[in-house]
Amino acid sequence: MFATMACFPNLPGFEYLMQTPEGGHKLSGLPALLSARDYDDVYVYNGDFAWDNQSGFFGNQGMTTFIGRNDFVNPVFSDPTWGVSDQDMFDRGAEELAKNYGKKPFYALLQTLSNHTPYALPKDLPVEPVTGQGRLDEHLTAMRYSDWALGQFFEKARKEPYFKETLFVIVGDHGFGNHQQVTELDLGRFNVPLLLIGPGIQEKFGAVDHTVGTQVDIVPTIMGRLGGQTRHQCWGRDLLNLPEGDQGVGMIKPSGSEQIVGLVKGDRILIESKDMTPRMYRYQLGSEFKAELIESPDQPELLKNLEAYIQTATKSLLDNTAGVVHGTPK
């Protein structure tokens, strides 16, 4: 969440940044950048904002309007652990967008939760449950339900006047690992598609782009589409405005205490861990999912880049220099 909205990377030792004192620092993310442009905001969520200090963190970053589990009246479904269902969340999200249109410019964060273990879904599902996949049935059914709820949201959004003036950004916090773990980092789990839906996006940039990026690239990519001058200290880049031939780059640090990091560049990944010497693979995603161990002359340079990225970002966080104050770097 903090990488996507505050464009600061997940770092070793700070995987739970939103709960730490350092998480109270101002970061150069979407709330800060759009608050400076006088945007209104709304954050709609199935669950409780106290979890992971979401309201505290995002409130400190500049968000003002939070709609959580206790703000839903007569939801279709509510679970004591997770809160209301995705269809409830998206229905309320659609209401908020329609209600806010025509006033000031605004941005909305809609966070889903139904597709998360332990899965809590309505008894009368609007989709056919997935069967025949063994222990994956429950997970795949939750995915199908969440996808249906997202589809229902877009059916409503398309009929609203704001639709043709809105950039929709759809991304997961992580992917879904498969049974093939072809490198020490589970590439299937970290293969996350980013969908951008908005006026002229496909016409200008094409339907599919295989550039490598991570969640920290999302805010710069959004700001690039909004136009106007932007000064930020994001730890990512505008994925739709990279130099010619740049295949993209991304640093991966799994959540939790697992001390392993990876640097993805194009179709290669460099993996570093305390338990092994650094290794580089050439990988391929999709139906031909595979990875092969390779040796590359630029491996030492990439390893230096990976360590420099982590060390510089960590120092910036500790020194509280990762945010922009009044349009100028702090």
Side-chain angles (χ1 to χ4, degrees):
M1 292 303 294
F2 62 79
T4 300
M5 291 296 289
C7 55
F8 193 81
N10 191 33
L11 297 170
F14 291 95
E15 295 88 352
Y16 301 101
L17 178 65
M18 287 158 56
Q19 302 176 28
T20 68
E22 291 80 10
H25 296 170
K26 296 289 186 182
L27 298 171
S28 182
L30 203 64
L33 295 170
L34 294 186
S35 292
R37 295 190 180 191
D38 200 27
Y39 274 59
D40 280 342
D41 66 82
V42 62
Y43 185 174
V44 186
Y45 178 47
N46 314 54
D48 189 339
F49 282 108
W51 185 82
D52 206 27
N53 189 34
Q54 290 182 95
S55 55
F57 178 83
F58 286 105
N60 184 53
Q61 295 304 320
M63 298 196 78
T64 61
T65 307
F66 298 87
I67 296 172
R69 64 183 300 163
N70 297 323
D71 301 305
F72 290 82
V73 179
N74 297 324
V76 171
F77 175 80
S78 184
D79 175 72
T81 301
W82 287 128
V84 303
S85 69
D86 277 2
Q87 65 191 103
D88 290 303
M89 188 283 294
F90 276 124
D91 282 348
R92 183 61 179 270
E95 282 179 29
E96 293 297 320
L97 266 63
K99 183 175 75 176
N100 281 292
Y101 177 70
K103 301 173 186 175
K104 290 198 304 186
F106 70 96
Y107 68 98
L109 172 57
L110 311 181
Q111 184 184 352
T112 69
L113 204 52
S114 291
N115 182 23
H116 198 297
T117 56
Y119 308 107
L121 305 177
K123 182 181 177 185
D124 298 319
L125 280 176
V127 295
E128 281 294 315
V130 175
T131 58
Q133 301 296 319
R135 63 183 181 85
L136 294 180
D137 283 353
E138 195 177 20
H139 180 99
L140 294 172
T141 298
M143 288 178 68
R144 178 177 284 180
Y145 169 70
S146 195
D147 186 57
W148 173 86
L150 178 62
Q152 293 295 301
F153 167 79
F154 271 103
E155 287 296 318
K156 292 179 180 177
R158 281 194 187 92
K159 298 171 185 173
E160 296 290 340
Y162 68 75
F163 184 78
K164 63 182 183 300
E165 300 176 23
T166 301
L167 173 64
F168 296 90
V169 181
I170 304 169
V171 69
D173 55 348
H174 54 73
F176 175 31
N178 57 33
H179 62 282
Q180 291 178 278
Q181 187 163 331
V182 294
T183 73
E184 289 78 10
L185 265 174
D186 188 351
L187 279 177
R189 180 172 172 77
F190 295 103
N191 177 25
V192 182
L194 168 67
L195 300 180
L196 299 178
I197 300 171
I201 294 285
Q202 289 199 6
E203 291 81 359
K204 185 171 182 180
F205 301 105
V208 180
D209 190 322
H210 293 288
T211 302
V212 170
T214 67
Q215 276 85 357
V216 295
D217 297 303
I218 292 173
V219 170
T221 304
I222 290 171
M223 298 308 294
R225 309 292 71 74
L226 295 183
Q229 283 197 327
T230 300
R231 188 174 190 181
H232 66 73
Q233 289 174 228
C234 286
W235 284 78
R237 304 182 294 169
D238 181 350
L239 295 174
L240 297 177
N241 192 29
L242 297 182
E244 187 71 31
D246 192 329
Q247 295 177 290
V249 63
M251 190 276 288
I252 297 175
K253 166 63 182 78
S255 58
S257 59
E258 188 181 359
Q259 295 305 298
I260 186 170
V261 291
L263 185 72
V264 183
K265 189 170 185 181
D267 64 349
R268 298 178 300 160
I269 179 169
L270 174 67
I271 298 173
E272 183 180 26
S273 168
K274 291 180 178 179
D275 304 327
M276 67 178 203
T277 55
R279 296 177 184 173
M280 182 174 280
Y281 295 86
R282 178 165 282 110
Y283 70 90
Q284 181 175 308
L285 301 172
S287 58
E288 300 285 320
F289 186 69
K290 61 184 179 182
E292 58 173 338
L293 199 60
I294 61 171
E295 290 186 12
S296 177
D298 64 347
Q299 182 168 325
E301 180 189 358
L302 292 177
L303 184 61
K304 185 178 177 182
N305 291 345
L306 172 60
E307 292 177 345
Y309 184 95
I310 293 171
Q311 289 174 22
T312 308
T314 302
K315 186 176 189 308
S316 178
L317 180 65
L318 293 173
D319 292 348
N320 193 12
T321 60
V324 170
V325 179
H326 302 308
T328 57
K330 181 178 178 185

